Amino acid sequence: MTELTKTLELKLVDPNVYKRQKLRETRDAYQQALQAAFAAGCDTQSAANDVVVEYDLSGYAKNALKKYVPQLCGNSYNADELHDDHPVRFTNEGLQLDHQPQNAIEWYVKVPHHEDYHLWIPARANPDQREWLEALYADDAEMGESRLFERDGTWYLHITATRDVEDQSAASADERTPIGVDIGEASLVTVCHRDEHGSPVRPRLWADDGKAVRRLRKTYFTAKRRLQQRGSERIAESYGDSLWDQIDDVFHRVTREVVEYAESVENPVLVLEDLTYIRENMDYGAYMNRRLHGWGFAKLHAQIRYKAAETGIPVETVNPRNTSKACHACGEHGYRPRQATFRCSNGGCWVGEYQADVNGAINIADRYRSGESHRRSDRTSRQKAGDDDSATDGASLTGPQDSQADAENQQTTRGTYAS
């Protein structure tokens, strides 16, 4: 069995004027509490509680804030500024689902307003996620954090759910074919594996997609800066949403193609770099740390994980140390004379020069062969479902953003029925 976490999408159907007012009151109170706790620099749950307790919110929203604000203030994200349109978060017990299959609109959701008041609202589900919602309603899946937001006059709920799914592959670890997955900026994703003779075969690079995403990000940050200088905040936000949607579409297509590549390999296991290990044990300095959090590593990881799990393909992670520096043929360290080129420093090695991202992907696959994989069960003491700073937490993290706080909001506000 594989534990899979997925974000379920619900569109609230035509709330009346009164309920829309209550939803907006909840959102406004949440935004005010979040801004106040962030401005106060609350880096502990106790400090956050002292601020948010004064606001007219349900305990589910306050408890979510007490967990989230310390992450923003340095424990995980260390955000420099706060996005002004965060979704309203509720802890895992905040929502309640009701299913009436005989009705035209089958699903109803109880949304907390404040301590003594809730709103029952009909909701339309992503049809591709019906099985998941039914599992959640039947207590065969575990509800995690949920997020409420408004987009173009329509209200949406995203609910994190976790359940066990059957592994389709019965192959043992020794029988599996590890496929190394290298995520970067030059080539957005690179995959490669070895054949039965140990030779690297069928490398695939998504280099054009890397160029496309870099261009979109550059366009966004340049346009945002210019529009903000002119005082056109609303135009900057609307324009940015369009660009982020384009980036997100690239991410979803590329990760689907990665899983399709794995499906073409006998007894595959996708091997990713353990980015949690990177964050906890390596110091890249302010510039590289910002890029690690800003680039879409975590979201690409999350999407590969849940799409692979849905097809029964196992995913493992390995310690990424030196996978980009070591030669896949002899193990000696080399260097990059150019961004896409790896040069081995061992004069006796046959490699000489090699495509750098493919070299890294092979090294990642070889780490699994050497027994260095980090299984999910080995990390449960330091990771919980729904923690958004880890690349292993389902689909909860998002694509390239300038801060992790912005990343959180973009994932939850891109619209309904994301793939």
Side-chain angles (χ1 to χ4, degrees), residues 325-381:
K325 298 179 181 179
C327 173
H328 73 272
C330 69
E332 292 290 328
H333 282 199
Y335 61 98
R336 291 192 178 194
R338 295 174 298 279
Q339 175 64 29
T341 302
F342 172 83
R343 179 173 294 169
C344 182
S345 58
N346 180 2
C349 179
W350 65 268
V351 165
E353 289 190 350
Y354 210 79
Q355 210 290 328
D357 298 303
V358 176
N359 180 74
I362 300 168
N363 283 330
I364 291 168
D366 288 347
R367 288 283 169 89
Y368 174 85
R369 288 183 180 274
S370 70
E372 293 188 24
S373 62
H374 299 168
R375 297 180 181 275
R376 182 188 180 100
S377 59
D378 297 333
R379 296 189 300 269
T380 53
S381 62

Side-chain angles (χ1 to χ4, degrees), residues 37-54:
F38 181 80
C42 299
D43 57 0
T44 65
Q45 291 194 20
S46 176
N49 179 71
D50 291 340
V51 175
V52 305
V53 70
E54 301 296 329

Side-chain angles (χ1 to χ4, degrees), residues 19-267:
K19 291 184 178 180
R20 285 181 178 272
Q21 178 185 344
K22 294 303 178 184
L23 289 172
R24 292 192 179 106
E25 288 175 1
T26 296
R27 179 192 59 194
D28 293 345
Y30 183 93
Q31 296 285 353
Q32 292 166 13
L34 175 61
Q35 292 282 353
F38 181 80
C42 299
D43 57 0
T44 65
Q45 291 194 20
S46 176
N49 179 71
D50 291 340
V51 175
V52 305
V53 70
E54 301 296 329
Y55 289 83
D56 190 15
L57 290 166
S58 69
Y60 308 112
K62 291 178 182 177
N63 287 335
L65 280 168
K66 287 188 288 186
K67 176 183 176 183
Y68 184 46
V69 173
Q71 293 177 332
L72 289 174
C73 291
N75 290 357
S76 296
Y77 304 150
N78 197 21
D80 295 324
E81 58 183 2
L82 190 62
H83 198 286
D84 60 2
D85 193 25
H86 275 257
V88 179
R89 295 166 176 250
F90 302 106
T91 52
N92 62 331
E93 297 178 347
L95 298 186
Q96 183 177 334
L97 290 174
D98 188 29
H99 190 205
Q100 300 293 331
Q102 74 278 8
N103 294 348
I105 300 176
E106 298 183 22
W107 295 97
Y108 297 81
V109 59
K110 186 172 76 171
V111 181
H113 175 51
H114 53 67
E115 289 293 350
D116 302 318
Y117 191 80
H118 300 77
L119 303 169
W120 276 105
I121 302 176
R124 200 176 303 280
N126 182 340
D128 294 334
Q129 297 177 339
R130 180 186 178 93
E131 179 185 352
W132 272 79
L133 272 174
E134 290 176 345
L136 198 60
Y137 183 69
D139 291 329
D140 291 328
E142 181 179 349
M143 183 181 294
E145 186 179 78
S146 54
R147 303 176 190 182
L148 171 73
F149 60 94
E150 185 182 21
R151 180 78 170 210
D152 297 328
T154 301
W155 287 89
Y156 300 95
L157 271 170
H158 281 186
I159 304 171
T160 303
T162 303
R163 64 186 295 207
D164 291 328
V165 297
E166 290 284 347
D167 287 330
Q168 296 181 4
S169 175
S172 67
D174 293 338
E175 296 172 325
R176 290 175 181 161
T177 302
I179 301 169
V181 181
D182 183 78
I183 295 174
E185 287 194 82
S187 174
L188 185 62
V189 179
T190 303
V191 295
C192 192
H193 66 283
R194 294 183 185 268
D195 63 15
E196 64 271 18
H197 305 296
S199 299
V201 292
R202 294 179 53 205
R204 181 170 179 185
L205 298 87
W206 282 266
D208 289 343
D209 295 293
K211 292 178 183 178
V213 170
R214 291 198 305 277
R215 174 179 55 80
L216 288 167
R217 293 175 77 237
K218 182 177 180 180
T219 299
Y220 168 72
F221 289 119
T222 301
K224 178 182 178 182
R225 183 167 55 251
R226 290 176 179 173
L227 288 168
Q228 287 177 335
Q229 289 172 352
R230 299 173 186 173
S232 304
E233 293 287 347
R234 288 185 175 273
I235 298 176
E237 181 178 350
S238 176
Y239 183 65
D241 287 345
S242 174
L243 290 176
W244 291 129
D245 285 346
Q246 294 179 56
I247 291 173
D248 212 34
D249 288 342
V250 173
F251 277 28
H252 279 290
R253 176 178 53 77
V254 169
T255 53
R256 281 196 299 268
E257 291 174 358
V258 168
V259 174
E260 289 169 359
Y261 175 100
E263 288 182 296
S264 70
V265 176
E266 185 177 1
N267 296 329

Side-chain angles (χ1 to χ4, degrees), residues 377-398:
S377 59
D378 297 333
R379 296 189 300 269
T380 53
S381 62
R382 55 191 175 94
Q383 293 181 15
K384 303 292 184 183
D387 285 351
D388 293 321
D389 196 42
S390 168
T392 63
D393 285 329
S396 58
L397 292 186
T398 182

